[in-house]
Amino acid sequence: MKLFTFTAETGAQALAEAKKELGDEFSIIAQKKLNDGKYEVSVAISEEDLKQAKAKQQQEEPPKTNNIAQRLELIAQKEIERKRIAQSMPPLPEDVSLQLSDAVRQISQIAGIEPKIPAKSPYGEQKTNQAPTKTQTPPQKQMESKKKESQPDDLRLIKGEIDRLNDKLKLIQNMFWEERGPKRDGLIIPHEFAEIYRITKASGMAKEHLEKIMQLTLELMPIKMRENSVLIKRYFREVLRKMVVARAENLSSNAKNIMMLVGPTGVGKTTTLAKLAARYSRLLNKNYKVGIITLDTYRIGAVDQLMFYAKKMKLSIDTVVDTEEFVNALESLKYCDYILIDTVGSSQHDRAKLESLKSFVNADPNTKIDVSLVMSATTKYEDLKDIYHTFSTLGIDTLVFTKLDETHSYGNVFSLIYETKKPVSYFSTGQEVPNDLSVATSDFLIDCLLDGLIK
């Protein structure tokens, strides 16, 4: 292997110099910013590839282009040509050859170009117009033995080929990252992190949180892991996961669980309460005794909706209008393992309703009520933060997020949990009662954030 170092005003320019000098067959070893503001890129290339690069410099160079699709096509054609002239390399089986060609063709389609790669093996043309004869076919046992010996090498060859094409595609996508990447307070995002940065930024995560997490990741991630985009995403996923606090269900039968759901109008509190009631009374290993109290006598149909669910699940339900009736209802349902309390939806700017809710929370000083703030995942982060700070006067114990199926961006949910340090207990992923409700976990949220919701 030969090592080379290139210096330029930007990392992209240094990479361009390396490509001009060495071709496309080098590997990036390190990239750093020097004290004078310039960028230094260290690369390695095999002696064989270096000789080929020098030889090609003497030939007429193809016209330069900044089009990603054309660059990808040139790279693909170069790989095909290099493999075809490798005389010492044995031909691949037909099915393996087709898999490799399909992989290259799919990458070309992603770039939006018409692939010119043949369906046959890129390592040598096979004759198909000649019928096999007995003299051309070796004995069956010899064929099976050769196939068994060559298969591991062939599979490793294919895997290496696909990995190289994938890395080159990402290199082309990110080669101008330094000019477009974020620069703030001295934080520079290397091009290796461009993909994960774009995904996280598009998720709706608060900018200050994203930059802080990126800085933490850059400081802690080992240098060797940065060479592989899969390892970068896995490491970043683990960092995010550790920043989400989730609360497990308290299924102890020794303690009475009283849960009050509060939150803005229209976030799905009543439907979530019905899902919880069905979960505790029907879906768990033990069928817990569940009682329901509703304070929502303002909204048309709210009581009827809960009455329908309670009747269907054969559960007790009480409707109260003041704190005295509320205390009596708690007393009448003291035989229940779970008491679920539905409340009227309130704008975070409606101080009167919030004070009314607070009087119910503090109605009985001897009764501990677990207050869950229910919010929609479709709400932008600034509004989520405003809602939380307003409802925090009620003494929020946990967060519940609904409508995860109605958005593709979950960074706002992550940012609120990270900012408030409040545990999240449940996620609602649809309207179906009781199935579309799951116990919250950090793994589930981060998977949604990076890969999307998979129900």
Side-chain angles (χ1 to χ4, degrees):
M1 297 292 289
K2 296 287 187 179
L3 297 179
F4 294 88
T5 301
F6 297 89
T7 305
E9 296 296 330
T10 67
Q13 293 177 1
L15 283 175
E17 290 293 328
K19 288 172 66 65
K20 180 179 179 181
E21 179 83 14
L22 305 176
D24 297 312
E25 300 306 319
F26 61 84
S27 299
I28 300 176
I29 304 301
Q31 178 177 307
K32 64 180 179 179
K33 187 175 182 180
L34 304 177
N35 294 332
D36 59 359
K38 294 185 177 181
Y39 287 81
E40 180 183 274
V41 176
S42 299
V43 301
I45 187 172
S46 67
E47 294 184 2
E48 180 183 353
D49 290 333
L50 181 61
K51 289 179 181 179
Q52 292 183 8
K54 294 296 184 182
K56 287 191 175 184
Q57 284 183 356
Q58 299 176 359
Q59 302 174 358
E60 183 179 357
E61 295 184 357
K64 296 182 179 180
T65 175
N66 287 329
N67 185 281
I68 292 179
Q70 294 180 18
R71 292 190 180 200
L72 181 60
E73 180 66 11
L74 289 175
I75 291 172
Q77 291 296 331
K78 180 179 178 181
E79 291 295 321
I80 299 301
E81 187 62 26
R82 191 173 72 86
K83 295 302 180 182
R84 282 179 175 171
I85 64 175
Q87 298 179 356
S88 61
M89 188 172 295
L92 293 176
E94 182 66 17
D95 57 341
V96 174
S97 172
L98 289 174
Q99 292 178 13
L100 179 58
S101 298
D102 287 342
V104 177
R105 190 178 296 104
Q106 289 174 9
I107 295 175
S108 299
Q109 290 173 353
I110 292 174
I113 61 176
E114 288 294 329
K116 301 178 181 178
I117 301 169
K120 296 182 180 180
S121 171
Y123 301 92
E125 296 182 358
Q126 299 178 355
K127 297 181 180 180
T128 58
N129 56 356
Q130 183 177 359
T133 63
K134 291 184 178 180
T135 58
Q136 295 172 331
T137 306
Q140 184 69 20
K141 291 185 179 180
Q142 186 177 357
M143 288 287 292
E144 293 178 355
S145 177
K146 287 185 177 181
K147 183 177 180 181
K148 186 175 181 181
E149 291 176 359
S150 63
Q151 187 175 14
D153 292 336
D154 292 340
L155 293 177
R156 283 195 295 269
L157 183 63
I158 293 170
K159 183 179 183 301
E161 183 74 11
I162 293 175
D163 289 343
R164 291 181 66 180
L165 288 173
N166 187 45
D167 290 340
K168 288 183 181 300
L169 176 61
K170 291 180 179 179
L171 177 63
I172 294 174
Q173 290 175 334
N174 300 326
M175 66 183 305
F176 298 110
W177 173 251
E178 283 79 6
E179 284 79 359
R180 297 177 287 119
K183 296 180 177 65
R184 179 183 176 186
D185 298 331
L187 178 63
I188 299 176
I189 308 298
H191 70 84
E192 299 94 338
F193 289 79
E195 180 184 13
I196 193 68
Y197 183 88
R198 283 194 292 261
I199 292 174
T200 315
K201 184 179 180 181
S203 72
M205 182 184 298
K207 185 177 180 181
E208 60 271 20
H209 297 160
L210 174 56
E211 292 183 350
K212 184 176 181 180
I213 294 168
M214 287 300 302
Q215 184 174 10
L216 180 65
T217 305
L218 290 170
E219 292 175 356
L220 299 180
M221 178 179 286
I223 298 297
K224 291 185 178 180
M225 292 183 66
R226 300 186 184 185
E227 300 175 1
N228 190 306
S229 60
V230 175
L231 292 180
I232 289 176
K233 191 171 183 179
R234 186 181 303 167
Y235 188 92
F236 196 77
R237 186 189 304 269
E238 190 65 19
V239 171
L240 293 178
R241 188 182 66 81
K242 291 182 178 180
M243 294 181 172
V244 174
V245 183
R247 189 180 75 174
E249 284 183 317
N250 181 15
L251 301 178
S252 174
S253 58
N254 299 325
K256 187 180 297 299
N257 296 278
I258 305 176
M259 297 176 58
M260 176 182 286
L261 305 186
V262 302
T265 305
V267 296
K269 293 187 298 299
T270 302
T271 304
T272 301
L273 185 141
K275 293 176 183 177
L276 290 172
R279 176 176 177 80
Y280 296 141
S281 63
R282 296 288 185 270
L283 301 183
L284 300 178
N285 293 332
K286 176 182 177 180
N287 294 335
Y288 293 93
K289 297 182 180 67
V290 178
I292 300 174
I293 298 176
T294 177
L295 311 180
D296 189 0
T297 58
Y298 297 90
R299 188 162 56 93
I300 298 175
V303 176
D304 293 338
Q305 183 182 1
L306 270 183
M307 286 288 187
F308 169 79
Y309 287 125
K311 182 179 180 180
K312 198 170 184 180
M313 292 182 282
K314 299 180 181 179
L315 304 178
S316 299
I317 181 170
D318 289 337
T319 303
V320 302
V321 295
D322 56 37
T323 56
E324 183 177 353
E325 290 183 358
F326 179 65
V327 174
N328 293 335
L330 290 175
E331 179 65 23
S332 67
L333 295 175
K334 63 181 181 181
Y335 67 91
C336 295
D337 300 307
Y338 282 90
I339 300 176
L340 305 177
I341 306 168
D342 190 27
T343 63
V344 61
S346 172
S347 165
Q348 65 268 34
H349 308 297
D350 192 336
R351 302 293 179 179
K353 285 186 179 179
L354 290 173
E355 286 299 321
S356 176
L357 281 177
K358 191 173 182 180
S359 67
F360 284 101
V361 173
N362 302 323
D364 186 355
N366 298 320
T367 301
K368 175 64 176 72
I369 298 178
D370 188 86
V371 180
S372 298
L373 177 58
V374 183
M375 292 176 288
S376 169
T378 62
T379 308
K380 62 183 181 181
Y381 170 65
E382 290 76 9
D383 291 335
L384 287 178
K385 188 164 59 172
D386 186 29
I387 292 169
Y388 172 82
H389 286 303
T390 303
F391 278 88
S392 62
T393 58
L394 303 179
I396 304 301
D397 295 291
T398 185
L399 306 176
V400 177
F401 286 95
T402 63
K403 304 184 180 182
L404 269 72
D405 58 315
E406 298 182 17
T407 182
H408 297 292
S409 303
Y410 304 93
N412 54 338
V413 176
F414 170 87
S415 282
L416 187 74
I417 299 172
Y418 175 64
E419 177 75 19
T420 62
K421 301 299 186 291
K422 285 294 179 181
V424 57
S425 54
Y426 294 97
F427 290 131
S428 176
T429 57
Q431 292 295 317
E432 187 176 348
V433 178
N435 296 328
D436 292 337
L437 183 77
S438 60
V439 179
T441 64
S442 58
D443 287 337
F444 179 81
L445 177 59
I446 302 308
D447 287 346
C448 289
L449 193 150
L450 297 180
D451 304 320
L453 174 65
I454 300 177
K455 292 184 64 175

